[in-house]
Amino acid sequence: MPKHELSPEVTIWTDARHAPLAGEVMNLMGSALKPIGVGGPPVTEVNQLAKDLSCQPHDDLRKLLVDRPAAYLLMNSLGGVTPDDLHAVTDQGTTVLTLEPIASDLQGLSTSLKLGTTTGAPGRILSAPTFGQSPGFLSAADPYELLGDRRAIRFTSDGQPGHGSLFARLFDAWLTVLSFTLMPETIDASLVGPLVEPPEDLRALTGSLLAHARMPGENAALLEVTDTAGRTGRVLRVHGDLASLSIKDSAYTLRGPDGKILDQTDDSGPDGFVDMLAAQWRRLLDQPNSAVQPAHAQPQADAMACCLACLLSIRTGQPESPVKLLEMNR
């Protein structure tokens, strides 16, 4: 794999399942990045990735990054990673791109948001590939005001196994939906898939999750998220009283109430999970401040509360309130 001596250095932390994906990403990034370390459990897949990238394999993330700090850490797995490790990583100025949310509850999220998620901190932790950083979403020319106040929102996130967990896709979905509407009053969710009993933790979710959210006023949302699809892709549709918006990973279309196209982009951008991850990373390299997290934590806390309300609704069989969950954790 090509390297460039002047390119930013990157360390990869992965497990066996995601090691081939890391290799695909590095192939796409080419000479834009210089891999200097590969870590994870001592298994064949991780060792092979290290060999392909001309790196020595390691099974201790803290030691790996202390011995050779990198500008970026691609974290495909949270296995063997502790909060203290993340503190050490961000304190030394490393930007972490993680495929999985680093917290699965509101208390953990509050702690993690202090680990370099603002411009004042030396390092930062960014989720990838997020829908809000996809070429299709970024090309939409600020359509919020054009949609009107009454909105019906539908977000579909299909993922093949290994292309992000169900929890990662659900968190990304709620961050997207909540950028177009207010916090739901209730969420009614169902889970279909291989699990015999509903899990107790968001990270244990797998299968297909469907959720119906009722917002204040005349807004509503439907979410369909899966980690067992035959293909990977995301689509957002927002039907307002003044216009309709359709965004997928690679393109978008805005139509007026008469059906005429008001604005659109050609569907010629990158597509697929690895392509989306590489596209977000390239944009971050070109525009380092393009993906800085909000200075306040509320959007992420709201999204986490909605994820937890989905899980609770699956367990109780009843609609649940994310606002109540937020209030209980204040």
Side-chain angles (χ1 to χ4, degrees):
M1 298 182 182
K3 296 182 182 180
H4 195 293
E5 293 303 318
L6 299 179
S7 299
E9 295 179 333
V10 57
T11 293
I12 298 166
W13 184 261
T14 186
D15 55 14
R17 184 184 189 189
H18 295 95
L21 185 147
E24 292 180 46
V25 173
M26 295 310 299
N27 268 325
L28 281 179
M29 296 302 294
S31 61
L33 292 167
K34 179 183 178 181
I36 62 169
V38 174
V43 295
T44 300
E45 294 84 351
V46 176
N47 292 339
Q48 184 60 53
L49 176 65
K51 182 179 179 181
D52 293 342
L53 297 175
S54 301
C55 298
Q56 289 295 319
H58 296 265
D59 59 6
D60 187 322
L61 177 62
R62 181 88 66 90
K63 187 176 187 305
L64 175 62
L65 288 165
V66 168
D67 290 349
R68 185 76 182 274
Y72 291 94
L73 168 64
L74 176 61
M75 197 160 63
N76 285 358
S77 167
L78 295 178
V81 179
T82 68
D84 287 343
D85 292 334
L86 294 174
H87 274 291
V89 169
T90 55
D91 283 348
Q92 69 184 17
T94 297
T95 294
V96 180
L97 268 69
T98 174
L99 270 61
E100 296 297 320
I102 61 173
S104 60
D105 56 40
L106 289 166
Q107 295 89 344
L109 178 67
S110 177
T111 299
S112 70
L113 288 174
K114 300 173 184 177
L115 302 179
T117 55
T118 67
T119 54
R124 49 185 170 163
I125 299 175
L126 303 172
S127 297
T130 60
F131 190 67
Q133 291 292 313
S134 69
F137 193 95
L138 292 171
S139 64
D142 195 18
Y144 301 96
E145 296 299 326
L146 299 175
L147 292 168
D149 295 328
R150 298 187 295 275
R151 301 173 183 177
I153 305 166
R154 183 183 183 98
F155 189 82
T156 302
S157 180
D158 294 332
Q160 293 175 272
H163 286 183
S165 67
L166 186 61
F167 171 38
R169 293 190 166 275
L170 185 64
F171 189 72
D172 179 49
W174 278 117
L175 279 175
T176 303
V177 169
L178 292 176
S179 68
F180 286 88
T181 186
L182 298 173
M183 191 73 166
E185 294 177 336
T186 61
I187 299 174
D188 191 357
S190 299
L191 181 67
V192 179
L195 299 180
V196 177
E197 296 290 339
E200 296 184 1
D201 186 86
L202 284 167
R203 296 199 190 280
L205 286 171
T206 187
S208 297
L209 188 152
L210 297 92
H212 174 221
R214 297 179 183 274
M215 282 73 173
E218 299 183 63
N219 287 2
L222 292 172
L223 281 74
E224 180 182 350
V225 184
T226 180
D227 64 346
T228 56
R231 68 175 300 277
T232 297
R234 297 168 293 192
V235 179
L236 169 71
R237 292 187 176 89
V238 184
H239 301 294
D241 51 337
L242 300 181
S244 294
L245 176 68
S246 177
I247 306 177
K248 56 182 180 178
D249 283 308
S250 55
Y252 95 104
T253 301
L254 181 68
R255 296 180 182 272
D258 57 359
K260 292 183 178 180
I261 295 177
L262 303 177
D263 196 16
Q264 68 178 161
T265 55
D266 295 332
D267 191 5
S268 58
D271 198 3
F273 187 78
V274 176
D275 290 329
M276 288 296 106
L277 180 53
Q280 182 171 333
W281 207 341
R282 289 192 196 98
R283 184 168 184 265
L284 187 60
L285 290 172
D286 293 338
Q287 305 174 46
N289 293 323
S290 63
V292 173
Q293 302 285 5
H296 55 91
Q298 200 58 49
Q300 296 193 58
D302 289 349
M304 182 67 74
C306 288
C307 291
L308 291 168
C310 285
L311 178 60
L312 184 59
S313 177
I314 290 168
R315 294 182 57 81
T316 64
Q318 302 293 328
E320 299 293 343
S321 169
V323 175
K324 289 182 179 179
L325 293 176
L326 282 174
E327 292 174 347
M328 290 171 58
N329 284 275
R330 284 176 179 164

